[in-house]
Amino acid sequence: MQRRVLLGATLAAAAAPGVLRAQAGKLRLGYMMAKSGPYVSLANTNEIAVDLAVEEINARGGINGLPLEVVKFDTAGEPRQATIALRRFAQDDGVLGVIGPFSSSEVRTTFPVGDREGLAQMSMASSAPGLSKGFAFGFRNTTDEGMVIEQVLAALKAKGLPTATGAAAYATDDVVSRSIGTDVVPALFRKFNVALRGSVTFQFAAFDLSPQVAQLKGMAPDIIGLGSPPEGAVNLSRELRRQGVSTRVIGGTTIADPELPRRMDGAGENLTIGTTFFPEVNDRTKAFAAEFARRTKAAGLPRNEPNQMDASVFDIVYLYAEAMKRGGVTGDAGKLAAERKAVRDALSGIKDLPLLEGSISFNADGDAVKPIYVLEVKSGHWSLLDTRMPG
């Protein structure tokens, strides 16, 4: 499903190319949503966070005296649709930067196109290692899964928790999950002197993981490095409990679902993950979570707790706002290419900008460097084990 929406205005379905560009006096961002498709459970609330950030910025006078607006396109998480969206934003809509795309598979296809168009993109969820490397206009307000899981292991070591032996479990039909299982976990186990006793694999949609857990039980590792979306964590934790295995499972942002402890029905105690957002960190995160809950309830959405992608897109809007401010952008269509480059250059220079997720900088590859919150499940809730800064 394709969907284009302009905040504060109604677009005719047959609007011709160039119509939006002719609307002067505003600064425009494109937004690739994943409101349908395979990522909907993680992404369907992101729009709430984007709209909230835009409203806050405009209520404070906008950017350089001009209001911010967002053109939206639902890619359904499909790389081909993401490429269509990117070209439309670049060639028809006159945007200064793009929020998204959501997934690693979309990033693989749109980042090369963005470089050719001279248009910055900033993904809110892509976390497969190395995807932004080499792209002049490609940014990710996410943290490489290798960096995240590295901080999880560092926290366990610092706390003196058992990590002498380990095993890997991962979904083979998900790009990031497979990368975690085949590359990230084995490399980090070597770095932290964790003896790898073996690996088990499963399909993303697999419900019965009893054979895999039986193998893990036989390995008897201290920790299990998991590469999987949240559903895999739920099914694995339940089967581990059924077979009487209390091994700590560790993972990264792919399973950072705020509702995960409740979904596991009492399983998964000590499941330990790294994430880039935790709503209990400070007054600002608590206020965001409260307003997010109010808006999602009013919209009738089933999840009312913000996840890390919601926080990420909120901060992406503010990152672009800061870049537009530093770049002195005017929204003049005659200066569009130069102002897009000014936005890119300003983003590259951002260091230690205090935002919702914490202090954010960008490294040489265009990836955000920000705090990692190491969480574990305790009594059916996420509990903060440690806060660490990669570097």
Side-chain angles (χ1 to χ4, degrees):
M1 178 182 70
Q2 299 179 19
R3 182 166 169 246
R4 300 174 67 200
V5 182
L6 181 62
L7 291 182
T10 301
L11 300 181
V19 170
L20 293 179
R21 182 179 294 183
Q23 296 182 3
K26 297 179 180 180
L27 304 178
R28 189 173 299 120
L29 291 174
Y31 172 27
M32 295 188 204
M33 305 184 292
K35 290 193 69 175
S36 56
Y39 307 108
V40 66
S41 65
L42 297 172
N44 68 341
T45 55
N46 292 176
E47 186 179 15
I48 297 286
V50 168
D51 291 350
L52 175 57
V54 171
E55 289 175 23
E56 287 184 358
I57 291 167
N58 287 340
R60 295 168 185 162
I63 306 159
N64 302 331
L66 297 171
L68 180 65
E69 67 179 9
V70 175
V71 184
K72 303 174 182 177
F73 189 114
D74 182 9
T75 70
E78 297 178 3
R80 186 177 66 85
Q81 290 299 316
T83 302
I84 291 171
L86 192 282
R87 288 188 172 130
R88 183 174 292 178
F89 290 152
Q91 299 169 12
D92 298 340
D93 296 340
V95 306
L96 290 158
V98 176
I99 305 164
F102 188 87
S103 69
S104 293
S105 57
E106 291 172 285
V107 161
R108 290 181 193 275
T109 64
T110 65
F111 272 23
V113 179
D115 265 21
R116 291 195 293 271
E117 296 284 355
L119 180 61
Q121 301 166 75
M122 193 179 302
S123 178
M124 68 290 283
S126 164
S127 58
L131 290 189
S132 59
K133 187 176 180 63
F135 291 105
F137 287 82
F139 297 85
R140 300 192 297 179
N141 186 27
T142 61
T143 303
D144 186 306
E145 289 295 343
M147 295 175 68
V148 173
I149 298 175
E150 179 177 7
Q151 297 309 312
V152 172
L153 280 166
L156 296 181
K157 289 283 189 180
K159 301 291 183 182
L161 296 167
T163 57
T165 61
Y170 60 96
T172 56
D173 51 346
D174 174 72
V175 172
V176 181
S177 300
R178 185 171 62 250
S179 175
I180 290 171
T182 59
D183 300 321
V184 172
V185 167
L188 288 175
F189 278 7
R190 288 193 296 271
K191 179 174 182 177
F192 285 90
N193 297 314
V194 180
L196 179 62
R197 290 189 168 173
S199 300
V200 300
T201 63
F202 53 90
Q203 295 292 301
F204 169 71
F207 182 78
D208 181 12
L209 297 181
S210 54
Q212 290 88 344
V213 170
Q215 292 179 58
L216 292 169
K217 186 175 183 178
M219 297 175 198
D222 291 324
I223 53 175
I224 299 169
L226 176 62
S228 171
E231 290 72 18
V234 171
N235 294 335
L236 181 69
S237 295
R238 287 175 174 171
E239 185 60 29
L240 286 168
R241 179 181 60 178
R242 193 186 72 80
Q243 294 194 28
V245 181
S246 58
T247 301
R248 182 183 297 268
V249 177
I250 67 169
T253 63
T254 63
I255 53 176
D257 180 348
E259 297 185 327
L260 197 63
R262 290 196 297 274
R263 292 174 59 193
M264 291 189 294
D265 298 326
E269 287 292 299
N270 299 323
L271 169 69
T272 307
I273 66 163
T275 181
T276 55
F277 178 69
F278 185 53
E280 299 300 317
V281 170
N282 54 41
D283 289 342
R284 186 177 187 185
T285 59
K286 291 175 183 177
F288 169 77
E291 179 61 17
F292 179 90
R294 186 187 71 79
R295 292 179 179 229
T296 51
K297 288 175 183 176
L301 295 172
R303 177 171 55 78
N304 306 126
E305 295 179 59
N307 63 23
Q308 66 175 26
M309 291 81 172
D310 299 315
S312 176
V313 292
F314 182 87
D315 279 349
I316 287 173
V317 176
Y318 272 93
L319 285 161
Y320 273 123
E322 180 68 17
M324 290 177 184
K325 179 181 176 181
R326 294 185 186 187
V329 300
T330 64
D332 184 340
K335 302 177 181 178
L336 185 58
E339 293 197 341
R340 284 173 172 172
K341 183 177 182 299
V343 168
R344 186 278 310 271
D345 291 346
L347 286 173
S348 298
I350 286 177
K351 300 294 181 186
D352 299 321
L353 186 66
L355 293 173
L356 181 67
E357 299 167 283
S359 178
I360 295 181
S361 305
F362 285 103
N363 64 20
D365 292 333
D367 282 345
V369 179
K370 53 188 177 181
I372 303 298
Y373 303 101
V374 181
L375 310 180
E376 63 178 351
V377 177
K378 289 292 185 185
S379 302
H381 300 279
W382 286 121
S383 175
L384 184 63
L385 177 67
D386 201 0
T387 302
R388 306 186 66 88
M389 179 63 79

